[in-house]
C-alpha cells in the first residue's frame, strides 16, 4: 500500500491518492504552531501523516496495521509477529524516547486517541506550554529539533493513554532494531558490536544478523537505517523476484516516456506561441509600451 501524490503504476503496489484523506488533517493544520529548528513543512507533515493514516484506516475498516518510516528495512514477514504484543494495543521501540519508525498497532482506537491527543497539544494552552518547554530546552542548548510527533508519542505512551509493548529487546535471539547507529537495547545496555559508528550487520541464509558482545548472533527482524545510514540501504537490499523487477522497470520506462512526451508537448506549445507572437508583430507592429 502506497499513500502518495503520484501513482507509480506498479501492478504489485496498491496506490491511494493522498488527496482522499488530506481533509482529515485540516483541524490540526489550523491549530499547529511551529516550535522546531526543522523546516516548517517537514515538521508539520510529520504530525499530519498520523491524521491521514487514521482516515485511511477508518475508510478501509482495518483492525490492525504496521506503520514504518522509509528508512526501515524488513527482513521478516511482519504479520507473524503481532503475537509478540500480547494484549498491548501497540508496540514500538524506545531509547530515551519512544519512536514510531516501526509502530505495530492491533487496536486501531490507539491511533484515534493519539490523533486527538496531538490536536489537544495545540488547542489546550496548559498542555501546549508544557510541550513548548521541549523547544525552549533545544534552543537553550543549541540542539537541533524541538517539538515533534515523537515528543507527542512519548508522552502519550508514558502517561498511560494506551497499552504498549517495547519492541527493541531480544526475544528468542531476534530483535526489532531501534537504530543501526545505536548499540543499546531498551534498558540502555550495550549488547552489540559496533564498527565505524554502526552495528555490525551481516547477511546470510536470506536473513540479517547483528553480533552481540558475547558472540551470539541475533537475527534482525527489521533494521532502522537512521540519519546518514540511509545511504547503506542499497547495500543490504535483497533482489526481488524477476517478475517484480520486470514490472518495475517496465513502469519506469512508461513513466520516462510520459515525462518526455509531456515535456515535448510543453516545448511545442511554447514554440507555437512564440511563432504566433512574432507573426502578429510582423502584421500589426509592436505594441506601444
Amino acid at each position: 500500500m502506497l499513500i502518495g501524490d503520484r501513482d507509480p503504476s506498479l501492478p504489485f503496489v496498491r496506490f491511494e491518492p493522498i488527496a482522499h484523506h488530506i481533509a482529515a488533517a485540516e483541524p490540526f493544520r489550523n491549530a499547529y504552531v511551529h516550535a522546531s529548528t526543522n523546516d516548517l513543512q517537514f515538521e508539520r507533515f510529520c504530525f499530519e501523516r498520523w491524521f491521514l493514516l487514521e482516515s485511511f484506516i477508518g475508510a478501509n475498516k482495518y483492525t490492525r496495521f504496521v506503520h514504518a518510516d522509509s528508512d526501515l528495512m524488513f527482513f521478516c514477514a511482519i504479520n507473524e509477529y503481532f503475537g509478540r504484543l500480547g494484549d498491548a494495543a501497540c508496540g514500538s521501540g524506545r531509547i530515551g524516547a519512544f519512536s514510531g519508525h516501526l509502530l505495530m498497532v492491533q487496536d486501531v482506537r490507539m491511533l484515534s486517541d493519539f490523533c486527538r491527543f496531538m490536536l489537544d497539544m495545540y488547542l489546550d494552552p496548559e498542555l501546549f506550554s508544557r510541550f513548548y518547554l521541549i523547544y525552549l530546552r533545544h534552543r537553550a542548548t543549541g540542539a537541533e529539533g524541538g517539538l515533534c510527533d515523537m515528543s507527542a508519542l512519548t508522552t502519550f505512551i508514558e502517561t498511560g493513554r494506551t497499552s504498549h509493548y517495547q519492541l527493541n529487546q531480544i526475544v528468542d535471539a531476534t530483535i526489532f532494531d531501534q537504530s543501526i547507529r545505536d548499540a543499546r537495547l531498551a534498558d540502555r545496555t550495550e549488547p552489540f558490536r559496533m564498527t565505524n559508528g554502526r552495528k555490525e550487520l551481516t547477511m546470510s541464509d536470506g536473513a540479517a544478523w547483528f553480533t552481540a558482545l558475547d558472540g551470539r548472533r541475533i537475527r534482525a527482524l527489521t533494521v532502522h537505517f537512521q540519519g546518514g545510514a540511509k545511504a547503506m540501504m542499497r547495500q543490504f537490499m535483497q533482489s526481488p523476484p524477476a517478475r517484480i523487477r520486470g514490472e518495475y522497470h517496465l513502469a519506469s520506462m512508461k513513466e520516462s516516456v510520459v515525462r518526455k512526451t509531456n515535456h515535448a508537448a510543453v516545448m511545442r506549445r511554447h514554440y507555437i506561441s512564440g511563432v504566433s507572437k512574432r507573426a502578429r508583430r510582423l502584421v500589426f507592429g509592436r505594441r506601444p509600451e
Side-chain angles (χ1 to χ4, degrees):
M1 168 56 61
L2 173 65
I3 304 174
D5 55 5
R6 188 177 65 177
D7 189 347
S9 299
L10 294 170
F12 53 88
V13 174
R14 178 184 166 193
F15 177 73
E16 179 81 5
I18 197 172
H20 290 179
H21 306 281
I22 199 69
E26 279 302 312
F28 179 85
R29 176 177 284 253
N30 294 333
Y32 180 73
V33 177
H34 192 53
S36 172
T37 61
N38 293 327
D39 176 73
L40 184 150
Q41 302 291 339
F42 167 81
E43 199 67 80
R44 186 174 61 195
F45 186 77
C46 286
F47 283 97
E48 290 177 351
R49 61 176 169 163
W50 300 104
F51 295 87
L52 303 176
L53 182 60
E54 181 194 17
S55 174
F56 171 79
I57 294 296
N60 288 275
K61 296 181 171 54
Y62 290 141
T63 57
R64 68 181 189 181
F65 67 91
V66 174
H67 168 275
D69 283 354
S70 59
D71 56 4
L72 187 80
M73 294 186 73
F74 287 84
F75 297 96
C76 69
I78 192 67
N79 282 340
E80 299 175 3
Y81 291 90
F82 269 95
R84 190 168 290 192
L85 303 184
D87 295 328
C90 65
S92 67
R94 173 186 172 88
I95 294 178
F98 287 102
S99 173
H101 65 276
L102 174 62
L103 182 66
M104 300 176 66
V105 176
Q106 61 182 359
D107 184 348
V108 296
R109 291 174 298 182
M110 172 267 170
L111 179 59
S112 298
D113 292 342
F114 181 47
C115 287
R116 283 196 294 272
F117 176 72
M118 286 189 290
L119 186 57
D120 287 344
M121 280 174 53
Y122 291 92
L123 294 179
D124 184 331
E126 182 179 348
L127 189 58
F128 178 74
S129 64
R130 296 209 304 267
F131 274 98
Y132 194 72
L133 290 175
I134 297 173
Y135 174 62
L136 294 181
R137 285 196 292 269
H138 277 72
R139 298 297 291 172
T141 60
E144 296 182 354
L147 182 54
C148 67
D149 59 323
M150 292 301 98
S151 310
L153 182 65
T154 297
T155 302
F156 181 75
I157 293 173
E158 287 182 342
T159 53
R161 288 174 167 85
T162 188
S163 53
H164 175 267
Y165 175 81
Q166 201 152 307
L167 290 175
N168 59 309
Q169 52 187 314
I170 297 174
V171 178
D172 298 329
T174 66
I175 190 170
F176 289 102
D177 177 43
Q178 177 79 5
S179 173
I180 196 171
R181 301 191 303 172
D182 199 320
R184 297 173 296 174
L185 287 179
D187 60 2
R188 294 178 177 271
T189 58
E190 299 187 5
F192 295 114
R193 293 178 183 172
M194 302 282 286
T195 301
N196 297 325
R198 66 169 179 83
K199 297 188 186 83
E200 293 181 3
L201 178 63
T202 58
M203 301 292 299
S204 64
D205 303 322
W209 303 89
F210 295 134
T211 303
L213 291 181
D214 61 8
R216 289 180 301 152
R217 290 209 312 166
I218 306 299
R219 183 184 171 196
L221 302 174
T222 60
V223 180
H224 186 200
F225 291 88
Q226 191 177 29
K230 290 179 177 63
M232 299 168 52
M233 295 180 72
R234 183 178 294 275
Q235 175 184 347
F236 294 99
M237 182 176 66
Q238 299 182 60
S239 180
R243 178 182 62 83
I244 299 296
R245 293 201 305 271
E247 290 175 349
Y248 173 78
H249 289 306
L250 179 60
S252 297
M253 289 172 59
K254 289 180 178 178
E255 182 182 5
S256 177
V257 170
V258 170
R259 186 168 57 248
K260 291 178 180 178
T261 300
N262 290 340
H263 178 72
V266 170
M267 296 302 294
R268 185 167 56 252
R269 287 197 296 270
H270 283 311
Y271 175 77
I272 293 173
S273 175
V275 170
S276 177
K277 288 179 180 178
R278 287 194 293 272
R280 286 198 300 270
R281 288 172 183 170
L282 287 173
V283 175
F284 301 105
R286 183 181 296 274
R287 291 182 179 179
E289 296 296 334

